[in-house]
Every structure is written in C-alpha cells, then in structure tokens.
Amino acid sequence: MLYRHFFGFGMSVCLRYAYSREEALEILNDGFMKVFDNIKVFDDGRPFKSWFRKILVNTALDHYRANRTYRINVSLEDLKDETGDLSEDVSSLEAGIEINSELILRLFGRLPETYRLTFNMYEIEGYSHDEIAAMLGISPGTSRSNLSRAKKMLRLLYAQSQNKTRHEAV
Amino acid sequence: MKPFDEEFADKVRAVFDRHDAPFDPSAWDAMHERLKQGRRGRVIAMLYVASRVAASLLIISVLTWISYTYFFTLTPSVSDSGIAEEVIAGSDIRQRHESAAATDALSHLSAPEDSALPAATLRQVITDRETGEVLDDNVSVQVLIDRETGLVITDRGTGEVLDDNVSGQVLIDRETGLVITDRGTGEVITDKETGEILPHRETVEVLPHRETVEVLTHRETGEILPHRETGEVLTHRETVEVLTDRESGQELPLAAEAVSEGTPTKDTLHDADIQQGLLSHGEQRTLPDPRLAGDGPADISLPSHEKQREKPLSWGLAAGSMMTYAEQQLAGGLGFSAGVTSAYRVTNRVSIASGLLLAYQQFEVESTPLVTMSAGKEYARTDMASVRTTADHSYEMLALDIPLNLQIRLPGAGSGRWYVSTGLSSLLYLQQQLSGVETSYVETNYLDPARNTLVYNSFTSSVAVSSNSAPFSHFDFARLLNLSAGYAIRQEKTTTIIEPFVKLPLGSISSRKLKMGMGGVSLRFTFGH
C-alpha cells in the first residue's frame, strides 16, 4: 500500500534526477528499500513525504556518485554550436512559457548531470549553495556557476525546442 | 515581469508539484523481489557493520602501537633539571629531592565536538512582486495538534500531516484512517476522497482550527505590508499561532504540548538564526510558496528548515587511550580516559567544543636524572667531587580534563567527514600519587698530605620515596595544547569519530611541576548534529 500510494510522488522526484525512467525506478526502489529498512526510526510527528523526499534525494546523489564517471555530458559551447545564437529567441519567449513534464524531462535529459543536480537541489528542493557544495563535494562557487550555466543551458534548450515546434507547425 | 529563468524555475516547480506518475506494477514486482532478498541483505549488512567495527579497532590498535613506538622520539620535551643544592654529609643520603625533572603521566582525551551535519545555510528572501523590495516572509506550516496528546495529526493511511484550511476541522476515522471532514453541523460527515456520506461511527474529537497568522513588514521602514497573495495584513517576523473555536470563533489557549519544542511547525526565521550562520547572506531568491503547491503541508518541508530545528549544541560520549612522554622518555603503561563532550556549532564548518573527561594513568619512569652537581675547582675545599641522583618513579594520576577546542570541518562529500581541531586543556587533579626509589651516586675526594696525592672515594645510596597530593589541590589552567585530526562517520542519529590526538605541554603541569605531553587515539559518539 505504501509503495503504491507514494509511487507517483517518488517518481516525480526521481525523474528529475535520472536520465531515464529505468534509472528513476532504480533510484525509487533503492529509496523504498531504505524506507522499509528505517521505517522504525521514522518520527510519526514529522511529515512522511518530506522524509521520503529527503531519502530519495540522497539516494539519487548516491547514484550520481556511483555513476558519474560513465556520464557523457554536453557542454554549453557544443549546445551553442548546435543551436546557433538564440539569445533573441530566448528573449522573445519571456512573454510566456509553456512547458509540461515531458518537455522538462527532455530538457533535463540534455543537461550535464552536475548542472541538473544543482538546478534541482537549488530551485526545486531549496538547498543552499553551501549545502549543495557539501553534498556534491564541490565548492559553493562551483555550485553557483553550475546553477548559472544550467539556467543558461535550459534557456537555450527551451528556445531550441520552441524553434523546432514552430518549424514543424510551418 | 519576472525574468525568464525565474519564471522557468517556477514553472518547473509547478509541473513537478502536479506531476503524479501512474503506478507501474512491474516496478513493484522488482521491488518485491528485492524485499525477498532482504534477509540475506541484512546478514550482509551485519557483516558490513562488523567489518567496520573491526576495522575501527584495528586502526586504533595500530595507531596506539605507532604512538607507543615512535611518538615520544618525535616530540620530546625536556625540562631543565631543577638542581637541589645539598651538602652531602656522610654516606647516607636521606634527602628528598623535590626536583622539577621527573616523568609523569596523565590520561587525557581531547574533546572537540563535531557538528557533523552541514549547517543549514538557506536564506529565504522574498521580494515584493511590484516594488521589487526585499521582504521577510515567514513560510509557515499549518498543522493540527491534538490538544490532549500534543501530537501532530497525520493521516494514518498516508502518513501525511493533515490540515483543513477551509473548515478548520479534521476528523480521522479511527478504524480506517481516512480523513473525514465535518461540513459544519458536526453530524453529517463525508469521506474526503469519495464524497460518500458516512455515519459518525464514534465520538471523534473535533479539533479547533489552528491558524498561523503571518505578517510582513518592510525591512527598512517597518511598515506593515499586505500579504502578496491574500492581501491580508500581516505582522513582521512573527508567526502567531492561534487556536480558534470553529463555531464561536473565539480564541482558545494553546495547549502546552502544542507549542513545545518538538512540534514540527516550520514557521519562523529569526535574526538569531542568521547570526548563527544558519542563513547565509548575499543570496536572494524566492522559494516556492508552499501554499501554492496544493500538495499539503507535507510538501512544504525544506531541507534548511529541517536543519533549522537542529540545535547548534550537541553532546557525545568519548573514550580513548594514550601514552605519556616526559624527559625524553615514554612512560610505560597505557592510560585511558572517558567522559562527555559537547560542541556548539558556530558556522557550517566551525564549532567550539568542550567536555569533561576523567583521565587515569599509571606509569613508571626509570632512571630519571634528578640532581647533578659537581664541585669543580672547589673540590680541594669541599672534599666533594660530584653527586648524581636518579629516580625510578611510579606515578598514578587521576584528573579531570577540561578541553576547549576550535574544530574546523574540512570540505568533502559523503557520509564521512575529516576535520582538524586545536585548543587548550585545563586539568583538575583528583589524585596524584608518587612512589619509587631515588638513588644517589656520590664521589668525594681529599688531598692525602702524607702522599701529597688526591684520593677519590665513591659510594651509592638509595632511599624509597612516596607522596600523595590531596584531591583538588592543584589546577593547571590551559597548560596543554590540543592538536587532533579526526574522521567522522555519520549514522542515522549518531556520529562516530575516530580521532588521533596529541597534547603538548605549554608549561609545567601537576603538583610535581612536570613537563609532559600525551598522544593517543580516541573514539567518540556524538548525538545531535
């Protein structure tokens, strides 16, 4: 029951940290194993979801540490080469942003993992740069830089996706 | 208009807050398979823990052995012998030499405390959407607390903290755990999920609505500003929790349990937190407003807020063993110490640690030079050429070690943390006992007038000595310099710390004015982070 009830919530967290649904499932199941192993120490007076979310984030970070040497990331420069100068397009998109979970996951899937982690942890989970630095083993300055680059890359990727959509419509 | 990045982040947050992936039965199958293997996994986990304990013991043993073998040769501290000037008369020496040169031992344990957890450094800054001015916004969580038990009411099925912002009442079916809301009459209740009208199965306590009133003020002018979303006038930096009777609307007194320290209301950010380094300066950003997430208070919990609840003060238990050196000698025998430690987290990485440790050491030092004296050119008049006294002393000491250390955590990731610490130790002696034998080698000479030659005589004399000092008769304030480097391994609620250390003398210590130091390894368990 617990698994079924929190499956959706857990997946929404894990998908943000994984490159694929399979990887997200792996993180989720690892997280659930931790939950089942430690359910006795869970404080009933605290919200379960936040405890569960914290476990999932930490599990995702464990996955990141275990697999980071196998990742191939796209650099910002590569992305610029691929998309061209989209600064004007980006500014024109500020009028309204239409995104859904599929698009976000697609955009996240193209971010280098450290950028994606930093963006997630800072913007979604609410960690500070010092906390992120401690958890990822980087300096707070690097964390800030990663966040800035992640945002820039997301901007470019989003603009790229919008351009593609427009071309298809034409 | 908000910048693209900010709006994009808001959208991403909103999408994920709404996102709810459908249940995948194949995922559960995989999970079920893993659960089956759980028993075998537990055995492996136990073996893993056992191996860690064994490794810790091995490390301590090796470090202790290394300290025992090499330590004192690297850091000897030799004091000048206090020469007791004596006139040796006859062949018996019965003088007690209160010399400053001796060897002593004392057990110590340095006690820096690890705050272990990275301190929360979230600065929550919310800007006025219209003016752009920075405002203080106290994000609060509304929870219902059972007035009798003081517990937060949670959905028994989901574990979520429940609240009812509309009616102010939450009823929980005691049998099914489902949430049932009172529509106002108290008689007709419906299942929150299905809408089905349910009979009132038993007397379920209707709880008054607990409200959290937020107030915003302009940071500089102090002017009260309306809440951005609701337009309510809010007060500055205070979260006022009010229990109101739903029917009469009158305020009710808060139950004592409801405002206890353990109640998980994450509602305030105080200046004190900023001063303690919980909130870092210089970052300005807007956090998701939990009231807009639509996912209940369970989603509101932010890591930094959780850490905010962690007290900066932590305590622990410590035990260790060490060797003592003095007068270029390593004392025979191991000492040990045990006690309590505490630490106050100043910033993310810096803590001030102290403690109270009972240290005991019994050791022996052989052939310690006590007195060396030579007549030199005066031999013709004194008839004495030289006297040299050495001692074989046995010491037994019991003292309270009160360290005060500055502890700095080194950057790193994972569950382990390296840190270094330095500080000073003060010693309050409970027992100082000395026993042993002091031996004097005396050489005399005289001029034989018959043969007109210088005649030398030498002899040896020994005397047993013993002395006791009264408890609390001596206190050495900040006479030992503590240096240590430790490795902390964090578990669920405790942190295990392995810490090699040395204590270097800054002056003579103990009633016997010894200049001695210690080195060893301690093992600590701290509670709280």
Side-chain angles (χ1 to χ4, degrees):
Chain A
M1 282 298 292
L2 185 75
Y3 187 85
R4 180 186 290 270
H5 191 88
F6 286 102
F7 180 85
F9 169 76
M11 278 299 281
S12 73
V13 175
C14 295
L15 279 170
R16 297 201 301 264
Y17 290 91
Y19 272 105
S20 65
R21 192 172 183 282
E22 286 69 29
E23 189 182 359
L25 271 177
E26 195 180 335
I27 295 171
L28 179 67
N29 281 354
D30 284 350
F32 265 115
M33 286 299 290
K34 290 179 183 175
V35 168
F36 293 145
D37 287 342
N38 298 287
I39 196 72
K40 288 178 183 174
V41 301
F42 171 63
D43 182 0
D44 290 340
R46 301 175 65 181
F48 177 80
K49 265 190 176 178
S50 63
W51 184 62
F52 184 43
R53 182 205 295 260
K54 200 170 180 181
I55 286 178
L56 290 177
V57 171
N58 287 334
T59 307
L61 291 178
D62 290 342
H63 271 253
Y64 159 71
R65 293 188 196 104
N67 301 314
R68 60 181 155 188
T69 53
Y70 306 111
R71 305 289 192 202
I72 299 172
N73 294 322
V74 180
S75 72
L76 195 59
E77 285 67 29
D78 293 342
L79 200 65
K80 278 179 179 172
D81 292 342
E82 190 179 323
T83 59
D85 186 5
L86 293 171
S87 55
E88 290 185 7
D89 299 312
V90 173
S91 60
S92 68
L93 293 173
E94 291 180 5
I97 301 171
E98 292 299 328
I99 52 174
N100 53 35
S101 57
E102 287 74 22
L103 176 59
I104 292 174
L105 294 177
R106 209 162 60 236
L107 300 183
F108 275 18
R110 299 203 60 194
L111 282 183
E113 190 150 29
T114 49
Y115 293 3
R116 189 161 48 111
L117 284 172
T118 307
F119 184 87
N120 267 325
M121 294 172 74
Y122 187 89
E123 292 293 350
I124 312 294
E125 312 293 352
Y127 287 98
S128 70
H129 284 299
D130 285 343
E131 290 170 316
I132 295 169
M135 293 169 88
L136 297 183
I138 57 179
S139 69
T142 305
S143 176
R144 286 189 183 87
S145 166
N146 284 348
L147 179 67
S148 170
R149 286 168 174 268
K151 286 179 173 177
K152 198 169 183 179
M153 228 164 169
L154 281 171
R155 219 180 299 151
L156 289 170
L157 287 167
Y158 178 71
Q160 185 187 17
S161 73
Q162 294 302 100
N163 278 347
K164 194 176 175 184
T165 307
R166 276 202 292 268
H167 286 308
E168 285 172 359
V170 170
Chain B
M1 182 181 294
K2 294 171 79 172
F4 175 84
D5 291 339
E6 199 173 324
E7 189 174 350
F8 187 83
D10 288 345
K11 293 270 186 183
V12 170
R13 269 194 296 271
V15 166
F16 279 115
D17 283 339
R18 288 196 306 269
H19 184 74
D20 191 11
F23 177 68
D24 182 357
S26 65
W28 169 247
D29 292 340
M31 186 73 205
H32 190 63
E33 196 62 32
R34 291 182 64 175
L35 287 172
K36 275 188 190 173
Q37 298 171 353
R39 183 170 296 175
R40 196 179 67 176
R42 282 190 200 98
V43 173
I44 294 172
M46 285 176 66
L47 288 174
Y48 175 69
V49 171
S51 66
R52 279 177 64 169
V53 171
S56 300
L57 290 174
L58 182 64
I59 290 169
I60 291 174
S61 303
V62 169
L63 290 173
T64 301
W65 180 80
I66 291 172
S67 301
Y68 188 85
T69 308
Y70 299 109
F71 173 64
F72 84 99
T73 59
L74 298 175
T75 55
S77 175
V78 185
S79 65
D80 295 332
S81 298
I83 297 176
E85 297 197 11
E86 303 174 49
V87 176
I88 309 295
S91 60
D92 290 333
I93 301 171
R94 298 291 178 192
Q95 298 291 330
R96 293 280 308 280
H97 304 287
E98 290 295 331
S99 170
T103 302
D104 201 340
L106 190 65
S107 301
H108 289 278
L109 187 67
S110 68
E113 182 68 14
D114 190 3
S115 59
L117 276 180
T121 54
L122 175 67
R123 177 181 170 90
Q124 185 173 4
V125 178
I126 294 182
T127 54
D128 188 298
R129 285 184 180 176
E130 292 181 6
T131 65
E133 291 174 322
V134 177
L135 304 173
D136 288 337
D137 191 356
N138 299 320
V139 177
S140 63
V141 179
Q142 295 181 348
V143 293
L144 285 176
I145 297 174
D146 188 309
R147 300 184 68 198
E148 289 184 6
T149 66
L151 294 174
V152 175
I153 295 177
T154 57
D155 185 322
R156 291 182 184 179
T158 66
E160 293 178 19
V161 175
L162 302 174
D163 69 346
D164 188 346
N165 293 329
V166 178
S167 68
Q169 295 183 7
V170 172
L171 295 181
I172 299 175
D173 188 309
R174 292 184 190 275
E175 290 180 10
T176 66
L178 292 174
V179 180
I180 302 167
T181 57
D182 186 334
R183 285 275 169 94
T185 63
E187 295 177 356
V188 179
I189 47 181
T190 58
D191 187 305
K192 197 173 188 178
E193 295 179 352
T194 65
E196 180 186 351
I197 296 177
L198 300 174
H200 202 158
R201 295 185 182 180
E202 57 182 282
T203 303
V204 182
E205 184 182 4
V206 177
L207 296 172
H209 189 188
R210 178 170 183 160
E211 289 181 354
T212 300
V213 181
E214 292 177 329
V215 184
L216 291 180
T217 56
H218 190 287
R219 182 173 269 184
E220 298 193 353
T221 64
E223 181 186 356
I224 295 178
L225 299 172
H227 189 280
R228 289 171 296 128
E229 306 297 335
T230 64
E232 294 173 34
V233 175
L234 307 170
T235 55
H236 178 55
R237 288 193 183 182
E238 288 184 9
T239 297
V240 183
E241 293 175 337
V242 183
L243 287 177
T244 55
D245 187 296
R246 187 181 178 279
E247 302 203 352
S248 67
Q250 291 181 338
E251 278 190 21
L252 298 173
L254 279 172
E257 297 86 347
V259 293
S260 66
E261 196 174 358
T263 303
T265 53
K266 300 173 270 298
D267 50 8
T268 53
L269 294 173
H270 297 289
D271 284 345
D273 295 325
I274 298 172
Q275 290 164 4
Q276 289 168 11
L278 288 173
L279 310 175
S280 65
H281 294 274
E283 294 176 24
Q284 294 190 2
R285 63 192 182 102
T286 304
L287 288 175
D289 189 334
R291 289 157 297 192
L292 301 179
D295 202 10
D299 281 335
I300 299 172
S301 177
L302 295 174
S304 293
H305 284 220
E306 290 177 3
K307 289 174 183 177
Q308 186 183 343
R309 287 201 302 273
E310 294 168 2
K311 298 185 179 69
L313 191 66
S314 62
W315 67 281
L317 300 173
S321 62
M322 78 291 288
M323 269 70 60
T324 303
Y325 69 89
E327 300 302 322
Q328 295 179 312
Q329 286 195 46
L330 190 68
L334 281 173
F336 61 87
S337 66
V340 295
T341 62
S342 65
Y344 185 83
R345 191 181 64 224
V346 181
T347 69
N348 260 358
R349 298 196 180 279
V350 179
S351 300
I352 295 174
S354 186
L356 197 60
L357 301 156
L358 198 59
Y360 174 82
Q361 186 130 4
Q362 185 178 28
F363 61 95
E364 294 176 354
V365 180
E366 296 178 348
S367 303
T368 308
L370 290 183
V371 176
T372 301
M373 192 170 143
S374 173
K377 293 179 180 177
E378 303 298 320
Y379 64 86
R381 278 185 279 175
T382 63
D383 287 346
M384 188 195 72
S386 67
V387 58
R388 180 166 57 91
T389 304
T390 60
D392 296 334
H393 281 160
S394 175
Y395 292 91
E396 188 174 353
M397 288 195 170
L398 183 66
L400 282 174
D401 181 2
I402 308 164
L404 184 62
N405 292 331
L406 189 68
Q407 181 176 295
I408 302 168
R409 183 168 61 81
L410 303 178
S415 59
R417 292 284 189 277
W418 287 99
Y419 68 87
V420 294
S421 74
T422 183
L424 299 171
S425 269
S426 301
L427 301 172
L428 179 61
Y429 296 89
L430 306 179
Q431 180 188 1
Q432 297 179 80
Q433 188 172 350
L434 164 72
S435 62
V437 176
E438 295 174 357
T439 304
S440 292
Y441 303 91
V442 182
E443 192 175 70
T444 63
N445 56 50
Y446 65 95
L447 186 64
D448 185 350
R451 292 182 290 175
N452 196 27
T453 56
L454 199 60
V455 179
Y456 291 90
N457 287 322
S458 63
F459 56 90
T460 302
S461 180
S462 298
V463 62
V465 294
S466 68
S467 70
N468 280 306
S469 299
F472 307 108
S473 62
H474 192 81
F475 179 66
D476 286 324
F477 179 72
R479 291 288 181 85
L480 285 172
L481 174 65
N482 300 324
L483 297 172
S484 66
Y487 186 70
I489 304 165
R490 287 176 51 187
Q491 288 93 32
E492 186 67 28
K493 291 186 176 176
T494 63
T495 301
T496 305
I497 301 166
I498 300 170
E499 183 183 50
F501 67 91
V502 293
K503 288 172 175 284
L504 305 175
L506 298 177
S508 299
I509 61 175
S510 85
S511 296
R512 303 195 63 81
K513 304 296 179 193
L514 306 176
K515 211 166 188 178
M516 63 182 191
M518 301 101 195
V521 180
S522 74
L523 187 64
R524 289 192 288 131
F525 299 95
T526 64
F527 307 94
H529 300 292

